[in-house]
Amino acid sequence: MNKKFLSAILFGALMVSSTGTFVSCKDYDDDIDNINKELTDIKSKLSDLESKVTTGGAYVTKIESVEGGLKVSVSDGTSYNLTIAGTPAGSTVVIDKTTGEISIDGTPTGFFATTGTTPQGESTAPYVKDGFWYFYDDATKAFVKSEYKASGNAWAVQKGDSVVLHIPNEAGVMQEITLPTSSSALTALNATPSNWTSGKNIAWSKAGADVTWAGKKGNVTAGQLLIGQLGSETATVTPASYDLGAQTLTLVDIDGKTAPVTVTATAAEGDYVTDRAASPSGKWNLAIAMTDEVTADNIATAFTKKVNGVDKNVKYALAVNGTVMTGYEYVIDTQTVNESKTNTAYNKDQIDLASKNVALGTSTLSLNAATAAQAYDSYLTFEGASKTLAEAKGITVDGMNITVPATAAATPGLSVTVNILDITGKIAKNNVALTIAGASVSETETVAPVSIKISTVNSFSVDLGTIFTNLDANIAQNADATKTTVTTADGNFFALTSTTAANGLFNVAGNDKIAFKKADGSAATIAERNATKAVITLKMDDGTGSSYVSAAKDIANIYGTFNLTLTLKDKQGNELKKVIVPVTVSKPEFDDYYTANQYAGWNEGVLSSVIDNSTQNTPAFTMPTNLYTINKKADGTTGMTDAQPGYTYTYKKTDNSEANNVTSITFNDVVKDGFLKTTDYKVKASNEVVTVNALTNDGSAEDNTISVSKEFTMKLAPAFNKAKLVYYTNGVAGTVAAVNADGIIAPLTGDGTANKPKNGLALQYGDEEIAVSTTAIPASESDDHKLGGYKVTTGSAATGAVVVGFAKSAESAGGSVTLETSDTGVKIADLNAGQGGELVVTFTDYAGIKTQATIEYKK
């Protein structure tokens, strides 16, 4: 089962104790907008917790329920409160440590906890569905619905030295989160059985005669079963510090029967296998050997069973210390009796090693796949001139092991003889040239984690601390920076220089892609031991920094934490030093690309915009072109993107229905009787900013674009919405206009100077004012009569002017309202002394959108 990151809404509290107690809770399905902040906080805490237990060596010491969620305590003394306000308490479920029986709220259920996997590779732990508990029935090999009701759909199960949390993600899909509860806990194992699958036809034969053999397996007698060496597999463990080699590994079928084989794990350290037990990268090689139960008489059927009278390969899962950790996908596929009779003896030219690179110290050399398939046993010898050279240098062999002292570093011209006893009982041998390492391999170290966002960087810097400045002098002297590689065991990481994968890894070769730097940023050299950081460059498919290459088959898998391995090698390609680099890749954000232009009409995050009234009776809206400024890349000159974002709008129509994420505003939907009724709009700005060239299931490339987006509120108004009426009395602006004995409100006079104070009614737009008179607002539009850049008239808007009309509110006293000729002002007919009301001026722009301004009047 693969480890997955937790990115979820926490639906309720849950608890796990040493007795196997766990809690489920009621679905908290209120408005998600109210808990966004809490979800963000939970995700941040889980990300930190994930880093600690996967790469930092920490483990969970306690999980306890608290109000609104749970509290996770960690071995380093820290704790994490993962809560959402208002979450109710859940029911308690206990698994008896001795019998495994499950009790709910103190009542035994008669069901027993199972923590293995189904034949389909699914967990058999109990779960909640439709408000009821479901338990796995060993008899029927299926889940059954119990009569026990559950309080919710989040739960946890104690599983060995780990706790498995079952929590829905934001899409409501259940996911399993495994956390170690001890320093030696294995939380996940990811293995790919490429060799142990159907169709491999493991070769075997019976010896036709006695054979005298100097290899580890000794002499062979006539009729003895001879089996080809099975290809090894790889497995990756979480946490990486878990010592898989110290565990008992078995292959078991769905009935719990163990296959007659032994499985051995050895640390995968690169081109050779050292004598060290630990695997700092978390990657292991799995080797298999058949036990004595397998004989020449039963090997053809020892790993099969009858299905409708036909022998079919049994499918096995890999178990660690008795706990099934994978799906049932391993097959021991041996030759049939007839196939075994077709095996032929080796041609010596076919014999070769998987790698010719040899480390200082003791290493185990392996046959290449083609050789191993037909080889019953093998050992190494030195012969001829190589025997003399090996003796002079103190290099020895024992079986397939080779020991090279430090004094023999970089020995040239050495060949080893590979001796093979094949499955037909024939002996063959071949000489293979070796490359001896120039220095001893030092211990693997881990540097501080690195966080990157794709598309915001083309390269990222790794802080090496003192690792390279404190290198052993022998390593520093023999290191060749151009041979340095960066690899990752996770196939979802980005390619670094090449789209060609080697053994599932994307490789970086050459100092042009891994640049070692001094503390001041200048170039460093390994020999001088002055490198404090390494700059790693990601491959850009199109050379512009906008198209990444990834091995991910699913675009969602490009995000997360990956362990890169930076390996320093000598000129022969032998590794000298390994550095583990945890790298967390996150999705780019809108703010990485754009910054709001402060001069574009923003007010505390709300945008103020106006309708385009340039076309008669056809109102329109175009987002300002300068709404955002494009951020610069690290070079300070190149833009993060070359385009402004696109926009979609969500708004209420006048009929109370809603337009959702439309690309333009339809004014027939928001304008009624000439007036703009809808002024608030939710706007989403988005842009496709980067392409990830990901691999599909068939190995081909597929482009996937990643977009960034941001939502904001826009206030939309007609073009002439800022106009208003103001009445001056001896230079003082007031809100009530005086009506004289003739029923007229006088127009603005005076210029505001000391000798000419302002008096009368004015039409105001920003800092501009005009008198409310027929001269200032003529019957025919003119470029000489404008307000706020708009021509004003009492006539027609046919040529783009704003038409100004006068009236009074329905409740106001008086009769008709007219703008009098001869600049006398606005007349309100039939108004008696002491009466008043509200003057309403309507502005109709060229697009037919109306706005109004008002002022009170009194006679």
Side-chain angles (χ1 to χ4, degrees), residues 590 594-603 605-608 624-631 644 647:
F590 187 87
Y594 301 101
T595 299
N597 182 357
Q598 62 177 320
Y599 304 111
W602 294 100
N603 182 16
V606 177
L607 179 68
S608 296
T625 58
N626 64 341
L627 191 58
Y628 292 98
T629 58
I630 298 174
N631 298 337
Q644 285 281 332
Y647 303 94

Side-chain angles (χ1 to χ4, degrees), residues 473-789:
N474 190 32
I475 292 178
Q477 185 65 34
N478 287 281
D480 185 345
T482 65
K483 300 291 185 180
T484 305
T485 62
V486 171
T487 57
T488 172
D490 193 314
N492 289 325
F493 196 70
F494 297 106
L496 300 177
T497 62
S498 173
T499 57
T500 302
N503 299 323
L505 307 179
F506 280 99
N507 297 299
V508 169
N511 198 35
D512 60 329
K513 295 301 179 185
I514 305 176
F516 292 102
K517 301 289 186 180
K518 298 178 183 178
D520 62 5
S522 60
T525 60
I526 304 302
E528 295 183 39
R529 293 187 285 190
N530 56 9
T532 62
K533 64 180 180 178
V535 178
I536 300 175
T537 301
L538 301 178
K539 175 179 173 58
M540 297 299 170
D541 208 28
D542 58 1
T544 66
S546 62
S547 181
Y548 289 76
V549 178
S550 171
K553 294 180 176 63
D554 186 336
I555 196 68
N557 292 337
I558 65 176
Y559 307 117
T561 299
F562 308 86
N563 280 339
L564 307 187
T565 302
L566 189 154
T567 305
L568 185 63
K569 299 183 179 182
D570 63 16
K571 64 181 179 180
Q572 289 84 23
N574 295 306
E575 65 181 56
L576 305 175
K577 180 70 179 178
K578 279 190 172 182
V579 179
I580 305 299
V581 184
V583 178
T584 299
V585 181
S586 58
K587 184 178 180 179
E589 303 294 338
F590 187 87
D591 292 343
D592 295 325
Y593 286 84
Y594 301 101
T595 299
N597 182 357
Q598 62 177 320
Y599 304 111
W602 294 100
N603 182 16
E604 297 183 352
V606 177
L607 179 68
S608 296
S609 294
V610 297
I611 300 172
D612 178 6
N613 68 343
S614 61
T615 305
Q616 186 178 21
N617 297 324
T618 310
F621 173 74
T622 302
M623 190 64 75
T625 58
N626 64 341
L627 191 58
Y628 292 98
T629 58
I630 298 174
N631 298 337
K632 300 294 184 184
K633 291 185 179 179
D635 59 16
T637 57
T638 308
M640 290 295 299
T641 182
D642 58 1
Q644 285 281 332
Y647 303 94
T648 57
Y649 308 91
T650 297
Y651 55 88
K652 285 283 187 182
K653 302 178 183 179
T654 55
D655 62 2
N656 290 323
S657 64
E658 187 171 77
N660 287 301
N661 294 316
V662 294
T663 57
S664 62
I665 298 172
T666 302
F667 282 91
N668 288 339
D669 293 335
V670 295
V671 175
K672 187 175 182 179
D673 299 328
F675 289 94
L676 179 66
K677 298 295 185 179
T678 302
T679 58
D680 286 12
Y681 299 79
K682 295 295 183 183
V683 184
K684 182 177 182 180
S686 59
N687 192 25
E688 293 181 349
V689 293
V690 64
T691 298
V692 175
N693 196 348
L695 298 179
T696 60
N697 289 325
D698 61 3
S700 61
E702 181 177 275
D703 287 343
N704 296 274
T705 55
I706 296 175
S707 298
V708 294
S709 63
K710 189 182 188 78
E711 292 187 352
F712 59 87
T713 297
M714 180 180 69
K715 299 285 188 179
L716 187 59
F720 213 63
N721 70 303
K722 294 181 180 180
K724 64 180 182 178
L725 292 168
V726 62
Y727 186 83
Y728 288 97
T729 303
N730 292 323
V732 178
T735 59
V736 179
V739 181
N740 64 22
D742 296 327
I744 293 176
I745 303 174
L748 175 68
T749 58
D751 56 11
T753 60
N755 296 326
K756 296 181 179 180
K758 292 182 179 180
N759 282 283
L761 186 62
L763 186 58
Q764 191 179 80
Y765 191 103
D767 295 333
E768 298 182 27
E769 290 178 335
I770 60 174
V772 180
S773 66
T774 53
T775 297
I777 310 174
S780 298
E781 57 83 18
S782 168
D783 288 334
D784 296 329
H785 298 84
K786 289 184 176 181
L787 180 62

